[in-house]
């Protein structure tokens, strides 16, 4: 029976470079001969991706209630866990995910103001004790991150249209979770150059993978 794989997540607000560095993490692990499943939240399966489109669509005329938003996030997560994450880990693959439940505590908790206890109740129900082995939190000042998003030249999604105070609350919620769980979180200074950020991430991975495989 294969040993359980490892579960690595990348977290952070809009514009911190998660997608670019997710690819670097995947390449680092694959170069070591590991089977890697790259995925994202919300999303990761066809049904979960449909929920993602509903959550991010800025053109929808009906406002989305914050509790409905929270439940949709966990509905997508339940599908994602059942169809992708749990099967991959069970066969020994390593899963690298762009966002997971820390994003829910940051966006729906910090940003929307939903009580953490309510989110934690859904976390227990849906995840049944499963959590990431390592979370890389890419952090940088909010205004600089928002400038990066603006430079993309793309139409903003429903979350990207939020005000600066929303993202300040998201960032603080992320940092608070990292401070409360030093073993799982590694905070990365995403304001540095792409190469410097990549080197920091690879250094963190080198140490963690060596410890896991020893």
């Amino acid at each position: 029976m294969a040993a359980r794989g490892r579960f690595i997540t990348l977290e952070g607000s809009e514009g911190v470079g998660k997608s670019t560095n997710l690819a670097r993490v995947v390449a680092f692990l694959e170069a070591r001969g590991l089977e890697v499943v790259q995925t994202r939240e919300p999303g990761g399966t066809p049904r979960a991706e449909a929920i993602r489109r509903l959550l991010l669509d800025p053109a929808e005329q009906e406002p989305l209630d914050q509790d409905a938003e929270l439940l949709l996030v966990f509905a997508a997560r339940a599908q994602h866990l059942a169809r992708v994450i749990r099967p991959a880990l069970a066969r020994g693959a390593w899963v690298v995910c762009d966002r997971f439940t820390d994003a829910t505590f940051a966006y729906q908790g910090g940003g929307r103001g939903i009580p953490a206890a309510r989110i934690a109740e859904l976390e227990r129900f849906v995840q049944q004790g499963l959590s990431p082995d390592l979370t890389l939190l890419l952090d940088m000042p909010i205004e600089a991150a928002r400038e990066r998003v603006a430079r993309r030249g793309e139409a903003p999604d429903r979350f990207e249209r939020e005000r600066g105070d929303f993202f300040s609350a998201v960032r603080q919620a992320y940092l608070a979770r990292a401070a409360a769980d030093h073993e799982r979180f590694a905070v990365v200074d995403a304001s540095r150059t792409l190469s410097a950020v990549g080197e920091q991430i690879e250094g963190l991975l080198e140490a963690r993978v060596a410890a896991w495989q020893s």
Side-chain angles (χ1 to χ4, degrees), residues 20-44:
T20 300
N21 288 293
L22 185 86
R24 184 183 287 266
V25 172
V26 170
F28 177 93
L29 297 175
E30 289 182 336
R32 282 147 184 81
L34 297 164
E35 179 192 353
V36 182
V37 174
Q38 177 179 336
T39 189
R40 68 177 182 178
E41 287 216 346

Side-chain angles (χ1 to χ4, degrees), residues 17 54 72 87 89 96 154 157 171:
L54 179 60
L72 285 169
L89 294 174
V96 180
E154 301 173 356
D157 64 34
R171 184 189 186 198

Side-chain angles (χ1 to χ4, degrees), residues 169-188:
V170 167
R171 184 189 186 198
Q172 292 308 310
Y174 267 133
L175 291 173
R177 287 184 67 75
D181 193 350
H182 292 291
E183 288 191 10
R184 176 165 68 88
F185 275 88
V187 180
V188 177

Side-chain angles (χ1 to χ4, degrees), residues 46-116:
R47 291 186 187 276
E49 289 289 334
I51 295 173
R52 178 188 181 90
R53 290 191 290 273
L54 179 60
L55 285 164
L56 299 187
D57 184 4
E60 182 62 50
Q61 295 303 307
E62 178 186 359
L64 186 59
D65 179 79
Q66 65 181 22
D67 286 337
E69 178 181 282
L70 175 65
L71 292 168
L72 285 169
V73 167
F74 271 104
R77 182 163 298 136
Q79 186 73 3
H80 192 202
L81 283 164
R83 304 295 298 176
V84 175
I85 296 175
R86 291 189 190 279
L89 294 174
R91 69 173 181 265
W94 290 43
V95 176
V96 180
C97 190
D98 182 344
R99 293 207 172 111
F100 194 60
T101 310
D102 294 302
T104 311
F105 281 97
Y107 278 76
Q108 283 70 47
R112 300 289 188 225
I114 295 175

Side-chain angles (χ1 to χ4, degrees), residues 13-16 140-150 152:
S13 188
E14 316 300 321
V16 297
M140 65 185 294
I142 294 301
E143 287 308 314
R146 297 190 79 187
E147 287 175 9
R148 283 187 182 177
V149 173
R152 294 174 187 165

